[in-house]
């Protein structure tokens, strides 16, 4: 059953909305999970990835490789990580595009805006956990 009148439940319309999304929406779609230490510290599961975050690749042929994000290519839905490149036939090295969902953030590039986002998301998760515990106690 459809619950939100503003979001299409049709596969066709959902795909159109996804691939025609503006850069601001792509930012949130291109989120990456945090590693265990950061998850416990900030009480946040994932956050939109940005340049200069340090990540480890968790899937694919480059699994286990670490590096700093050198660019977030929103148009192509990929990120580029330093030292994760391949050689072209002419000898030039080009960065390999990696999907942000296939990496794990190990170190955040924090500024005041990002700190605010982490605090806001963390508070919301804490409130949800407390609410869930209260409901379990009453039943």
């Amino acid at each position: 059953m459809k619950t939100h009148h503003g979001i299409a439940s049709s596969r066709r319309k959902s795909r159109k909305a996804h691939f025609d999304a503006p850069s601001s929406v792509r930012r949130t779609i291109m989120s990456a999970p945090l590693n265990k230490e950061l998850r416990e510290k900030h009480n946040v599961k994932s956050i939109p990835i940005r340049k200069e975050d340090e990540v480890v690749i968790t899937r694919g042929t480059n699994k286990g490789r670490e590096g700093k994000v050198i660019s977030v290519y929103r148009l192509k839905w990929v990120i580029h990580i330093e030292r994760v490149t391949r050689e072209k036939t002419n000898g030039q090295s080009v960065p390999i595009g990696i999907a942000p969902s296939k990496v794990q953030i190990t170190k955040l590039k924090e500024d005041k805006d990002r700190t605010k986002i982490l605090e806001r998301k963390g508070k919301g998760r804490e409130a949800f956990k407390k609410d869930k515990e209260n409901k379990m106690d009453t039943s």
Side-chain angles (χ1 to χ4, degrees):
M1 187 175 132
K2 189 169 176 179
T3 54
H4 195 289
H5 68 87
I7 299 172
S9 56
S10 155
R11 174 179 162 83
R12 178 184 187 178
K13 290 179 183 176
S14 296
R15 283 178 57 81
K16 181 174 173 47
H18 181 270
F19 292 108
D20 290 347
S23 183
S24 58
V25 175
R26 285 178 186 233
R27 176 183 164 272
T28 54
I29 294 171
M30 292 177 70
S31 291
L34 301 176
N35 68 356
K36 280 207 171 102
E37 295 86 54
L38 289 173
R39 195 177 294 186
E40 286 167 13
K41 181 182 174 188
H42 299 291
N43 198 20
V44 175
K45 196 172 182 180
S46 67
I47 193 164
I49 200 152
R50 70 166 283 182
K51 190 176 175 179
E52 295 179 23
D53 280 346
E54 287 182 27
V55 297
V56 62
I57 301 171
T58 56
R59 293 282 185 273
T61 53
N62 293 302
K63 182 176 180 176
R65 292 183 67 182
E66 296 179 45
K68 195 176 276 192
V69 177
I70 51 174
S71 73
V72 179
Y73 204 148
R74 290 186 192 166
L75 189 68
K76 288 189 175 180
W77 301 96
V78 295
I79 60 170
H80 295 138
I81 301 166
E82 68 181 6
R83 297 187 309 275
V84 181
T85 58
R86 71 175 192 84
E87 290 282 315
K88 286 171 67 170
T89 52
N90 66 4
Q92 186 182 0
S93 70
V94 289
I96 298 172
I98 311 267
S101 61
K102 306 302 176 200
V103 300
Q104 207 171 51
I105 299 173
T106 54
K107 189 177 177 198
L108 290 165
K109 163 100 167 68
E110 284 197 49
D111 55 6
K112 62 179 172 54
D113 295 329
R114 209 146 194 226
T115 309
K116 273 185 187 175
I117 292 167
L118 285 166
E119 285 173 7
R120 189 184 69 231
K121 283 184 88 172
K123 281 181 190 171
R125 284 179 66 91
E126 279 179 31
F128 179 75
K129 279 183 182 175
K130 285 178 186 173
D131 191 41
K132 196 173 179 183
E133 287 172 8
N134 290 342
K135 284 184 180 176
M136 285 185 162
D137 291 342
T138 55
S139 55

